[in-house]
Amino acid sequence: DKNKGVVGLVFFDLRFRGLVGNRILIAGTNGTKFAKVRTQFKNTIGECYNMNVTCETFPKDDVLRDTKAYLAAMDTLKKGDVVTVFTP
């Protein structure tokens, strides 16, 4: 379902099935949008499918604009981690 966030739904499901690790990171440029994104995930995926929708977001929620937030997210990764890049 597009309104649930297709990419989020896929990765939360993969984690639920044990096919990816526990950490899911999301990077964007406007951190002030992430509180609503997490609420949307909770309401449309977490509660609907009884699934863990915990994720780490970059930049922090109070950052209006950071075009390099993806670099901070990548700095937290370890060798062997996977990154998926997509645009809405």
Side-chain angles (χ1 to χ4, degrees):
D1 288 317
K2 184 120 175 113
N3 67 333
K4 294 182 181 188
V6 174
V7 175
L9 177 58
V10 167
F11 279 100
F12 296 137
D13 182 61
L14 289 171
R15 178 174 58 194
F16 177 78
R17 297 169 189 263
L19 299 173
V20 298
N22 194 45
R23 289 181 74 207
I24 294 175
L25 288 68
I26 301 173
T29 58
N30 184 342
T32 64
K33 295 180 179 182
F34 285 130
K36 288 182 181 177
V37 169
R38 287 190 299 272
T39 298
Q40 177 75 0
F41 285 157
K42 178 181 173 260
N43 293 339
T44 61
I45 299 172
E47 293 175 1
C48 182
Y49 301 107
N50 194 29
M51 204 174 292
N52 174 9
V53 294
T54 303
C55 60
E56 299 170 55
T57 55
F58 295 81
K60 295 187 182 294
D61 288 1
D62 62 346
V63 176
L64 187 59
R65 184 160 174 79
D66 180 357
T67 59
K68 305 284 187 185
Y70 71 97
L71 294 172
M74 289 177 61
D75 284 345
T76 72
L77 301 175
K78 298 179 293 205
K79 185 177 181 177
D81 289 343
V82 176
V83 174
T84 301
V85 179
F86 71 96
T87 58

